[in-house]
Amino acid sequence: MSFTEKPRRSWIEEKFSKRECVKFIPLSRDLHRCIPVCQVCQNLIRCCCGRLMGEHSWQDSPPPVSLFLGPGQDGGQEWSVELHTRASPTNAYGIVDFKDTATRVCRAKYVRVAVDSKPDLLLQLMLREWQMERPKLLLTVQGGSENFTLPPKVNQAFSKGLMAAALSTGAWILTDGINTGVSKYVGEAMKNFGGHDLRKRNTVGITPWGVIENNTDLIGRDVFRPYQPLGNPLSKRSCLNGFHSHFLLVDDGTLGKSGCQHGLKKKLEKQIQLQKIHPRLKQGVPVVCVVVEGGPAIVSTVLDYVSSVPPVPVFVFEGSGRAADLLAFLHKQTAMDSQLDADIEEDFLVRIERVFAVERTEASHLYTLLLQCMDHRQSITIFDSESEDHLAPDAAILTTALKGTKASPAEQLSMALAWDRADIAQNDVLVSGQHWQVGSLEQAMLDALVMDRVSFVKVLIDNGMTMNRFLTVDRLEELYNMPHGQTHHFLRHLVEDAKQTSLPLGYRLSLIDMGLVIEDLIGGAYRSTYTRKPFRAVYSHMQDKGKQDSAASFSKPRRGLVINSRRSGSPQGQQFFRTAQPYKHKERDGSPAASGEASTSSPGLCDASLLASFNFNDLFVWAVLQQRQQMALFLWQHGEEALARATVACKLYRSMAFKARQSSMDDDVTERFKAYSLEFGQLAVDVLDCAFRQNEQMAMKLLTSEMEAWSHFTCLQMAVSSCHRPFVSHSCTQTLLTDLWTGPLNMRKNSFLKIILSLLLPPAILLLEFKSKAEMCHVPQTHEIILFGLDPVKPDTAETTDHTDGEDAERGFSFHDRYLGPVADTMSSITLQCLSWLTKLYDFYTAPVAKFWFHTISYLAFLMVFSYVVLVKMQAYPSVQEWMVIAYILSTAVEKIREVMMSEPRKLSQKLKVWFSEYWNISDFTAILLFMAGLTMRWHAEPYRTAGRIAYCLDIIFWFVRVMDLLAVNQHAGPYLTMITKMTSNMFFIVVMMAIVLLSFGVSRKAILSPDEEPSWSLARDVVFQPYWMIYGEVYADELNRSSAMTQVDGHKHQHPAACKDGETCPSVAFLSPILQAVYMFFQYIIMVNILIAFFNNIYFDMESTSNKLWKYNRYRYIMTYLERPWLPPPLILCSHFTLGLRAIYRKLSGVSEREERCSGLKLYLGPQDRKKLHEFEERCVEAYFYEKSEGLHSTETSRIRATAERGDVQDGGRGLRQSQLHSRRPIGVGLSAGSASGPFRSGRGHPHSALRFRQPASRRDSPGSV
């Protein structure tokens, strides 16, 4: 007996007891009057408990001497459980194994309990000891206890309906547990439709202990008992049904008598009704009585149920026989009038007599009981399996549970929510005409989110629930703070990492904390709204106000956090629900009214709400952080910017996987995060592919359009941040990058020759071809335009500009017409021609490909000059060539500083963190730092000047290695560099193992050959260098024979110590050195080196297939580097820096720097109309994606059916299904009407990836060729 089992056994034996008869009261006293009781009497006369005299226990009293009552003895004593039985600790509990179910494992837990056991202890036993799931519905099945035959349709409806209702809601089923009557049909239903999940088989049999066949086989404490459910045909006892999961064996001290279980069963049902259906819900567990067939006692049972307070609804299967049919008949006849006609009443009484085989008196009594049942007809539901108008049996049972309890609509919705049956809520609860209390639907939405009921969230949204009315700060914080086991623990861990501190016990997470988590997970320049100063100010203000008057701040269900904005009229009509929408600074308006309004508003106070158009992003991020993948997939399809949300989820899950791996969490957690990230990443790729096939330019706009909802990031930026290589290497992304790389230049062949020639001969630029406006409309704007004196497209003028751009795109205006069109009529032809030439010059020099070649040529010239400087003698003062090198490197340092300062993060620490995350930036920083150190030392006299020259010599290595990054731009050299990088990063552990072998041999070899060495740094050199060179073939053969030498004197061989280096004598154990060297060379050269070669070979073949995709992914960084870099190379780049400085000072003084703050990076700024069109296009692409996916699933099913039909035709000689019939069966699509809400989840229910079908898009383009 283990330590863990002892408390459980002692608790069961302490709380539950059995009953034994201790008083022999014979059923008959007239036949035997012998004194003492003879053997015949002991074997024939039974006690009122049903046992013979020998079967009694006579521990407390002696057996009776005579059964004949003498004078003065009371012969009217009746046997009772209280007076004539004794309670003792139960002796039968454990697990019963049913032997006749060879096809599946059927085991059940059981316990023998007394008839007067407390129901709360029974429920505690079932929940804590047996670990049964809490019931959300209780189905008590009543009916005939003897065997009867159900019609096939009734049997099918009963079996499927009962199991579907129980399994879908987590219900408990209570039966008599015997293998006869209705309990047997319940067992067959569990066998056929119950599934294989043992935890969901909550079928409890409450069976009298005395009627069980072979009940002595079950006696034992915490035992595993085999049980044979095949009973004796001549026995009046019954066997247990093998397909029940639990048994309560009710013992009242009798044998062979049933009925004692009914009282305990009613008490247990009452106790279960008092339990909450869910910890978050106040509604109790509903009870439904299911009636199948039944005898006269069932009529009284039904009356007890429907007349109780509150009433228990009764569900009757019509056609099952006897009592059920009588109830159904009377229910229909009394639908209009509670009294039957005289002739119908007489026929009904005759039918009662015939069905129950009773006399007229008993039939009249039963008729009266039936009429009393009809007084509560609203609690009785009749299900006719023959009718076509009825619901599915499981839906009918659940509807009965809702309607029969007279619960309010909110309580009915709570029950349907606990069952996770959105269809029941949609059809029976959320119907027109229902009266809802204020806030009840909002509470239902909150409960659905907490309980992760995706289908309910969909139903509530379809019925008018909007996030801007539901989502408030306190509700969002409640969602983040809900206890959810390991998920909540991991979320707290993320907060601790983001805040760099430990959270106290009971700490409540705030939205500011979640903003820090989001920024930490996404990284880079991302800034969440929750961490911005305006939000913090308003949040702190509301928190302080909430302490004084909570009802005025957070407790109102329709009021959220509000931030200053002039665009909203009511402070209480809008809610704050943006997860990552940045704070918008007040736009300047020259009108007096606007300025007056702005002066009266106080920034940071609750005077107006923040207007936001995407209200599902907060909830979507919550679902991702809470690891609720199905909820996140559902929310992903609601609202706009689906592509952006997919990339955001991909990044969040990827970062969470990294955090989990860092925290040494279970590998399953990390793999789950990776799987979630891949799923959203694949969604992003699929949607992008669908968009690219429909409209290439619109798809490329999706990549670079600015997302105000996500810290002004773009989809492409987010995909690169999450290392989503398939997304970046997609044809759409690569096409956009190619357009960005070439810029306005229209080149197809020999582009690098044309560019180099144009750089060397600038007049040749005028002969180049340039792209039209229509070809450049999808290319995002950059800041390089300001160098030419042209303002970029600003957010406040984007609407008119984009409208004009759209017209230009239709007419195909040139890039020249974009700027010169409005003033072309007022200028002379010579002036226009000059401006056209200047425009071409500007377009050429600002193209990234031209910048690349210009900088590359300059860099190669710098390397040549630097090489000359380090190769010649260094003079006391720098030469002209050295001054050129100094100017180049110093201007490069200034450019690096500009890159850091112009990066998107606001804090300098974040700027440096983002900048140093790139390897080449670290290399450049080291090279510049080393050069500055050498430059400082070269101005001093010797030996500092020599040290400075050595610093130059070492520094030039970094600059030569930098050429590798220039080669990475090439499509052919780039993949090889990717392979080299991968090999270098993955060889660490093999090199460590080789170093261990090297040091083990080097130390022992040096110690053997040089035992008298003095301490010096040369020891470390000799230990490492000589074994290292041995790897490359230098074995130092002259030292192998120094251990001993052989000479011949007088014809005899003599061995004498050989002379070592410097004439020293070798130590006597020097012979061990060759042996160790042989072993070392074998392991190091034969094994380790070959393992390293095989490792590199394996990496090469693995990378060969993916290196092209990796190069395409890395191509983004190269293009962005030269897109943002000034066109002049160092040292002339200082002129560009000077121009940028003047422009920044001008903007600062004019007050437009604040407005231009977000205009950084590769972004496409669209006006409201163009942004709306882009969002509509994206929604159509999402719908088309799900349409294509559903069509693919259906075509797979059709192919499977066709293959099955073809096999049938072959086997039946061509008599199978005809192909024409197969082709004629077309899928039924679910279309979206013009007025319906967008998104593929507006119709149907189920998994977010279920085969929802939509109308086929009007136009679809073929996939373009690879770029």
Side-chain angles (χ1 to χ4, degrees), residues 606-742:
C606 303
D607 55 344
S609 64
L610 176 66
L611 184 61
S613 55
F614 311 132
N615 54 3
F616 279 92
N617 289 349
D618 279 287
L619 218 51
F620 174 75
V621 173
W622 165 81
V624 172
L625 294 179
Q626 290 288 337
Q627 309 171 31
R628 302 194 171 194
Q629 180 71 350
Q630 301 307 319
M631 184 69 73
L633 288 171
F634 168 75
L635 295 173
W636 169 75
Q637 299 165 83
H638 284 75
E640 298 166 337
E641 297 181 343
L643 190 63
R645 279 181 289 182
T647 56
V648 168
C650 180
K651 173 61 177 178
L652 290 176
Y653 276 131
R654 188 180 182 89
S655 300
M656 290 165 70
F658 178 75
K659 294 283 187 181
R661 186 169 60 252
Q662 274 189 329
S663 303
S664 300
M665 298 184 68
D666 190 2
D667 292 340
D668 294 338
V669 177
T670 304
E671 293 301 324
R672 185 172 69 250
F673 286 146
K674 290 181 179 179
Y676 292 165
S677 177
L678 290 176
E679 188 171 4
F680 272 108
Q682 188 60 41
L683 277 176
V685 173
D686 292 342
V687 173
L688 180 63
D689 183 70
C690 184
F692 189 62
R693 283 187 277 109
Q694 293 195 26
N695 191 316
E696 295 182 6
Q697 289 190 350
M698 293 293 286
M700 286 186 277
K701 287 183 179 181
L702 284 175
L703 292 176
T704 56
S705 61
E706 185 190 32
M707 302 181 301
E708 294 184 359
W710 304 101
S711 188
H712 298 288
F713 268 46
T714 65
C715 291
L716 187 55
Q717 282 180 297
M718 196 65 70
V720 173
S721 175
S722 60
C723 299
H724 192 3
R725 293 178 184 137
F727 188 92
V728 181
S729 61
H730 190 269
S731 298
C732 179
T733 308
Q734 293 301 309
T735 303
L736 176 64
L737 293 179
T738 302
D739 292 340
L740 289 170
W741 179 244
T742 58

Side-chain angles (χ1 to χ4, degrees), residues 900-962:
V900 174
M901 301 307 297
M902 294 295 291
S903 59
E904 293 188 357
R906 292 193 176 187
K907 295 183 179 179
L908 181 60
S909 60
Q910 294 180 348
K911 291 177 181 289
L912 293 175
K913 182 180 179 181
V914 173
W915 192 80
F916 277 109
S917 62
E918 179 62 40
Y919 165 76
W920 291 113
N921 290 334
I922 299 176
S923 176
D924 293 341
F925 176 77
T926 306
I928 294 172
L929 208 61
L930 184 60
F931 180 83
M932 299 301 295
L935 180 63
T936 303
M937 289 185 293
R938 67 104 49 230
W939 291 102
H940 297 77
E942 297 292 346
Y944 294 102
R945 185 179 303 161
T946 303
R949 185 177 183 279
I950 294 175
Y952 279 9
C953 297
L954 297 177
D955 186 64
I956 198 172
I957 297 176
F958 291 93
W959 298 106
F960 268 106
V961 173
R962 196 66 167 82

